[in-house]
Amino acid sequence: MILEALIGVTFLAALIVMLSPDEYAGRLAFALSLLPVVGSLYMWAGFDAGGNALMAGSIAYRTQIDWLVAGGYRLQWFVGVDGISLPLVVLSTVLTTLAILSAWTPIDTRQSQFYGLMLFMEANLLGVFTALDFFLWFVFWEAVLVPMYFLIGVWGGPRRKYAAIKFFVYTNIASLVMFIGFMSLVFNLPVDSFGLPAITGSLQAGELSRFVGLDPAALKLAAFAAMFVGFAVKVPVVPFHTWLPDAHVEAPTPVSVMLAGVLLKMGTYALLRYNFTMLPDVATRPLVATVIAAVAVVSVIYGAMLALAQRDLKRIVAYSSVSSMGYVILGLIAYTGLGIGGATFQMVAHGLISGLMFMAVGVIYNVTHTRMVGDMSGMADRMPITVGILVAGAFGYMGLPLMAGFAAEYFIFQGAFASTVIPSAPLFTAASMFGIVIVAGYLLLAMQRTLFGEFRLETDYEVRRAHFHDVAPLAVLLLCTIALGVAPDIFFTMMADAIEPVVAVVGGGA
Amino acid sequence: MAGLFDYTPAVVLLPFLSFLIAVGVAISGRDLLPKGGAVPGIAATAGSFLLSVALAVAVAGGEVYNETVYAWAGGAVPGTEGLELTFGVLIDPLSALMLVIVTLVALLVHVFSLGYMNDEGETGLPRYYAGLGLFTASMLGFVVADNLLMAFVFFELVGLCSYLLIGFHFREPGPPSAAKKAFLVTRFGDYFFLVGVVAVLATFGTGQFAGPESFPVFAEEALHGEHAVNTFLGLGEETWFTVVGLLVLGGVIGKSAQFPLQTWLPDAMEGPTPVSALIHAATMVAAGVYLVARMYGFYAVSPTALGVIALVGGFTALFAGTMGIVKRELKQVLAYSTISQYGYMMLALGAGGYVAATFHLLTHAFFKALLFLGAGSVIIAMHHNENMWDMGGLKGRMPVTYYSFLAGSLALAGIFPFAGFWSKDEILYETLVHGLGGQPLLLVGYVFGLLAVPVTAFYTFRMVFLTFHGDARTEQASSPEPVGWNVKGPLAVLGVLAAGAGVVNLAPVRVLTGAHVDFLHGWLDAGFAELTVHHYEEIDPYSSAYIGGEATTVLVGAAVSLGLALLGLALAYKLYAVPTPTEHTAKLGSVRDLLYDNYYQDEYQVFLARRVVLPLARAADTFDRSVVDGAVDATSSVSLFSGSRIRRIQTGVVSNYAALLTLGLTVLLVLFGVLGGWLL
Amino acid sequence: MAAPLQAEAPTWTALAPALALVVTGLVLIVVDSIDPDDGSPALLAGVGTAGALASLGLAGWLLAGGTGQPDTGGAIALYGDALVVDGMTLFFQALFASVTALVVVASYDYLYDREYQAEFYSLVLFAATGMALMAAANSLSVAFVSLELASLPSYALVSYLKRDTGSVEAGLKYFLVGALSSAVFAFGISLVYAATGSLLLADVYETLAGGANGLTGVAGVGIVMVAGGFAFKTASVPFHFWAPEAYEGAPAPVSAFLSSASKAAGFALAFRVFVTGFPLGAGIDWVLLFQVLAVVTMTLGNFAAATQEEVKRMLAYSSIGHAGYALIGLAAFTTADGGNVLGASMAHLMVYGFMNTGAFLFVALAERWGIGRTFEDYAGLADRAPLACVAMTVFMFSLAGLPPFGGFFSKYFLFAGAVEAGFWWLAAVGAVNSALSLFYYSRVVKALWLEDATAEFELGPTPTALYAAVVFAAVATVLLLPGFGAVIETAQAAATAVLP
Amino acid sequence: MVPAQYYLVLSAAIFCIGVFGLLTRRNALLFLMSVELMLNAANVNLVAFSLYWGNVTGQTFSLFTMALAAAEVAVGIGIILVLYRNFKDVDVTEATTMRW
Amino acid sequence: MSDAGSRPRLKLGGHLVPGLAAVALFAVLAAVFLRASFGEAAGFEEGASITASIGYAMFNVDTGAVSGAVVPAEGFVVAFVLIAVVLDVAIDGAVFLAKRDEGEGGGGVLADGGREIRDRLRGGDD
């Protein structure tokens, strides 16, 4: 029952905050958002499930009730958590609370609607990570778009309308393509419900029948491709990434934190759940594996190169998200315990670190009202603590050891290097590892220009230290990053345990 | 004594504790600690030093210790049953020795900082001592690391600390860009190192340095076919091990500032001098060499890798030395000398002189730290003016600094009784002997090393004479500021060590007289079976040959190197020991500019970055915005345009509607008539 | 389960919902004759709403009672097989009744100062009766007459604002194209009669199934022309030309009524006639016909709507687009599991009925407040009428097919049905169109919420009834997501029951 | 007995003349007349095949089409009157205030 | 105002092009119908009263108890009731549309077929 309570409470909180007066909306929202955090931590404490939810593993906090029967298929309210989804649930709750806290300063119009939408989005995110019935999942998956559209559209920067609609339509087309791909799979399986475990089981047992002239293998490939494209837009993977920088630059800071922190992970989580767990035989085909690995490497290097050329701090962090997500894709296609485990860990790690970076840039923006690298320098002189945490965050981003970024990237590299699935895996891995140099390059370049040197600010605002409630979330995120870096086993054991069956199917190595 | 080893993690954790205290003070913003956080730092490093000495004594008693302290990740990772990612502690003769060196130099630098930083009234001291604390902790963590992954972790942390400390004066424009450059160039090296780490762990399944399960042992067995390892890219074991060796070497070249990644070290001099002394002379730069020594068993089995190390080392020694001749600032000369000396160590390692390299590492740590601290005290005296041409005649006014600085210089130049001579000579001897034994490549290295000797002597004594001898060329030089005990103390200690350290390993005396005075050789020959010197000599590809017997080669080698050193000294004396020396280097003409601008190394690296990488990035960005983003916007504009066209068929006139309707109906009829077969 | 009604009551009571509507219409005429110059509009509206709600109640009660379902003795054929009452009939009658109720309630405020209100309400009720009977028609004769009964009042209703050129022009065009289409429909029926010799759908099915021996050509033309008649009613291409002007020119409640109820009636009749009347192999593969119609209608509707300047005209084109989606019900019809996709289409029409009516009633509200018709005039409306704008946002995103609103499930079940039947490309075209529709629906939302008001204007008193209707429609749309189970299950059960 | 095809062709001819009149004339009243013509074409078919099939369904139904034609004309004249009052003309091509 | 104006004349000219659509439609219909092959017409029963049969069909009368030959047909009672409602609705709508509200006089449109008003408004020519 805890999951229903968690999602229900968050929806309720959203409603309450939406109707509350603007002055108290911020504090009320923060207080209410602590409930899901406590709930997710409680779930984490009592977590005892083993194995992968989709592959006959035991599902924690499982609820399965028939919702409706349509066209001979039972739609269920089927929710549950396993080693892969629990960390993401915890990440979502924690990040939302911190994002709300960091929104107190910048958001000064229509506050109640803002916080209401944030909580509403959180509820949908929890739904995405816990739903195990395709249609239920798809409801939550699409429902996340609506609040995000308003959050970017109403409180965003100058080109917010363009960015909001681009994000909205682009992601919607992608999920439609994915929907058709998945449906053409499900309808040719002898299953009577949309439950993911049932579908995975039946797929693994090879019960797929012909469909419109496609024999099962070709059908699986077509479905895999459609779903991959659908999720790739969300991840984002390079050819489909152009919505991300616009959305990030125009979105207000707390929304950027949520967008980079959690929304990108929906894509990678879905890739792992659908493409790489249900259709391993397609993913491990040499041609498919090479294409995906190549796309991953291009995402890493190309994303990093783009970041190098940006003048706006937020765009730099946005493009570097593209680069980090490239690592996740590489980890997933490696099909080794460390590879996919590292990819899942990177989802959480990148969530924390990119959240930290965006918040820090946001705090500086609140005071200087500019994000352009050329407009300011010597911020360390005036805002030592914020800059200190920003520098620490930047190093975390670069993959400094004993921080979550390094742990995730190292697992991925180790897993991908020895992968039997990717042809000439070491070359791909080594190529993608060069990303850590470029990341260091542009982050240090940006930091040196804006943070160090003597103090100069084009916009004439009085720069003073950030409020406590702005710096507190930064500190919390930094501590979490270091904690995960020093002891990745907090989440990694749980993840690896859930991934083991996925890898076992392919007989992947270490 | 067994209980003692349980405390080894304390060596690392004590400085880390001081770091935490100092950070706490820095954040709280209030001046809680006396001397701005120095006290906990000094206490912590002193504690570590004592512990290290105790460990050294225990190791001398033949005990060694290799325990996993903390399972970092995946202890229970089913997917990685073969791969244990752990942090552990390895205490054996090599690491005990290095522990002592690092803790001692760190302690002295902490004390020196009191004089250099506190008395000069620097602000932000807690941040400085926090940086020092973290650095010491990371360096010690690196030294005691028992596997390659842990080594890499602390290797990077050390790089971070050097970034923070070089950029300490972040308000001026210089230090931050120097820090950025330092971190980026070393990061470039670390990239290869990380690939190497991943490769080792993927190939052998473990990164352990010591014990029967260590990867050097597996490498050995694999070459003899006794242990199956999975190689990649279809390469044979031999070639694959060489590739992996060279990858790890990338990291070493980056960190130890060897050619071509040495451009960051001279810029790193922007940092405070105690930092330069600690980090850029004794410890961090030594990390690269120490790493190679730590996994020497792995390198020994791949001759090509050793050859590359030797060549890179030798070339860097000469290359950096030549650049040291023309420099005007005191610390610049020392920086290039550091690069050059580490070139020697790499040459020794490449030539199979494992003991020689370690010995030179030991001696160099002391006399280079001494020279840097001496430079520090000169800089205090000269109110932070480092230009040697504004000094002169400080000999009389700063006797303690002068005599310790002179001891250091004599050691650096390799003059007879001082430490430098013994270690440098042994390196050249090993290179010569192994070169003659069928390795012509090493002879090339030997020639490089030999040519570098007079150059080193020349720039060292040019520096000494310009700074201390002759008349005071500026008003400031005539009345230098007095320096306190906390400066002179460390100088005195290091002066003695620089002078006497040679006695540790008098190899030529053993060869001539047969007396076992090469204590270091014996020290390193104990501990884990596979890490001993004789084991390395068995597996490395070198055999030694002599010019008419061992004794004669030793004597000839020593004589040649000492002669060249004295030659260099004499030349420097003649040119610069005059009351008012002139810019002799001007006579070199265009060669001088070439040397002064470090063979335009900096320029081409900056060119590479600014003219190649940045424009490429901008091109990628414009491509991304115009083509990829353009495609997205194009689809929307195409659909909107076609939408506006389709709107047009609604003309508003009913007759048109009726006509189109009838046409539509007719078309449908024809279409389905044909399909249904009932029309045509 | 309550004992099914017809166990003891006479069979004609199965027609109760339709009778309720016609009686209300007549009562309205009687009330009008008593006090001719609209003494009390509230009474008129009250009677109208009461009648509609009564019909809704009856239809719902009969449906719940299982009248005409296979488990309670199958469909009830009345009057020599001319009418049939089964799950599908009651389902659609419930839809017509609820839309009529909403429109009548909304019209009370919309026509506050107009004369001839009684005629308005009576015409609406009679049109609703026509539609109710269309849903119950089981022979082409009743089909034709009930279609005309539904259309004629609509022509009058569209040109209700006699002095407004827009309304008159709309009425004219609607009438002319309507007349042409009804002629085509009649000619089609005559040809089908020529080929089969009967007008009862069951007999037609029998004769055609037995091979029309040489008359396939005649039957084929007849079927295409009959399809043309339905295409007019459902405003699918090529018989859609009247729709943009008619919806834009007509008074907003009438547009709502037309685009929701009469379109659904067209589909009800089309489902009935094609599924039970014309066997698949009978000389013309009408599934392909509807596929062509569906694709062209969807594409034209959505693409034309993308660049409109006026909200109401955009809604008109979007309504054409949705007709295309509903056509998938027939376009992906295979005798094996045709019931599922047909049921999905019925469910989609139900949900679409609510959200589309709501949207047009919001436009009525805007017209009533005197706000202009273009997107710019709607800018910044959210600050002045937040609740109404929330309702409109619900309608817009529900029409676009986004969760957490009703439209999501109905659209995706349709696409899923198409994919299940093997026509994944049909679903793909639908997907592309619905993505484009998201663009222009969000243009409205952008105008309401994101833009800031250009001109300062005061909205005046809020018309309570119209407001209530809009909010009720919004609540219904939202509730249809969790409550979608009931709708889809009854729809698919009814659809599978209809299969011959 | 006249073969049935002739009736079909006759009704098709009448139907198409109706359509022709509808497309070419601009006067609304003529539009109505054309539609009348098309409806009667349907009647021809119905009556002809009522004989062919030997049941009076066709004839009875043709009565209904006539009735509906009358109803349609009634409403049509109403609309044309309103059109005339507003546009001062019965030309259908005049009323194009709403397009695209 | 020459009297030629009042004589009906065949209006030819460019606007006949849309008519081609009608001709095309006829061509298609004719092509289809001529290919259709019909059997022998069944014809009606001798001596059966057609009008009586239509009457019975109209009201679903059970022809079993009726004397004389009756031509079979479907029941049209529902259509009959409906057509009544349709005609009523048509009248309502027509009257509503045609009724002149007090505002617009318009004078004697009845007598001269509306020419006078047209001339006054449109200035004479046809």
Side-chain angles (χ1 to χ4, degrees), chain A residues 50-338:
Chain A
N52 189 315
L54 263 60
M55 299 168 82
S58 67
I59 303 172
Y61 310 105
R62 173 201 183 106
T63 330
Q64 196 163 1
I65 316 164
D66 272 0
W67 181 4
L68 59 90
V69 177
Y73 285 88
R74 278 184 298 99
L75 261 72
Q76 301 156 329
W77 170 270
F78 183 14
V79 280
V81 168
D82 75 343
I84 296 171
S85 40
L86 183 63
L88 290 169
V89 165
V90 172
L91 174 75
S92 320
T93 47
V94 167
L95 259 185
T96 315
T97 313
L98 296 179
I100 289 175
L101 192 59
S102 75
W104 284 1
T105 326
I107 300 298
D108 43 20
T109 60
R110 285 184 180 169
Q111 289 89 331
S112 61
Q113 287 167 5
F114 179 84
Y115 294 112
L117 285 170
M118 284 287 267
L119 287 169
F120 181 68
M121 186 161 68
E122 178 186 6
N124 287 321
L125 284 171
L126 293 178
V128 165
F129 291 129
T130 54
L132 290 173
D133 174 285
F134 175 73
F135 253 93
L136 179 65
W137 175 79
F138 195 66
V139 169
F140 286 121
W141 171 271
E142 289 271 319
V144 166
L145 296 183
V146 175
M148 185 49 96
Y149 171 74
F150 284 109
L151 288 171
I152 297 176
V154 177
W155 290 273
R159 277 173 67 240
R160 59 182 183 280
K161 292 194 263 295
Y162 165 78
I165 189 64
K166 181 174 184 177
F167 159 79
F168 207 24
V169 176
Y170 206 160
T171 327
N172 197 297
I173 292 180
S175 36
L176 285 169
V177 167
M178 177 269 295
F179 178 80
I180 291 173
F182 188 74
M183 274 301 142
S184 52
L185 259 184
V186 167
F187 283 123
N188 297 286
L189 288 172
V191 281
D192 73 340
S193 85
F194 287 103
L196 298 183
I199 293 171
T200 322
S202 144
L203 265 174
Q204 314 276 234
E207 296 157 351
L208 192 63
S209 58
R210 285 182 61 80
F211 171 66
V212 119
L214 287 175
D215 58 1
L219 172 62
K220 276 195 200 174
L221 182 66
F224 184 91
M227 289 199 288
F228 187 83
V229 165
F231 296 136
V233 170
K234 197 83 174 166
V235 167
V237 172
V238 164
F240 309 111
H241 66 292
T242 47
W243 62 270
L244 187 73
D246 298 334
H248 267 304
V249 165
E250 301 308 328
T253 319
V255 177
S256 283
V257 166
M258 286 308 291
L259 186 59
V262 186
L263 261 78
L264 301 190
K265 310 317 178 283
M266 285 164 59
T268 44
Y269 169 76
L271 267 177
L272 175 55
R273 274 286 197 237
Y274 289 91
N275 285 44
F276 290 100
T277 313
M278 288 189 185
L279 301 165
D281 49 353
V282 176
T284 49
R285 285 192 199 161
L287 181 67
V288 172
T290 325
V291 165
I292 295 178
V295 161
V297 170
V298 163
S299 292
V300 168
I301 304 297
Y302 183 68
M305 288 302 281
L306 291 182
L308 201 57
Q310 297 310 326
R311 317 271 338 128
D312 177 340
L313 278 178
K314 252 188 158 180
R315 276 183 97 81
I316 292 176
V317 183
Y319 276 114
S320 53
S321 298
V322 173
S323 182
S324 309
M325 285 300 117
Y327 287 134
V328 172
I329 303 289
L330 183 72
L332 289 177
I333 190 59
Y335 260 98
T336 50
L338 270 177

Side-chain angles (χ1 to χ4, degrees), chain C residues 272 305 450:
Chain C
R272 177 82 61 191
L450 273 56

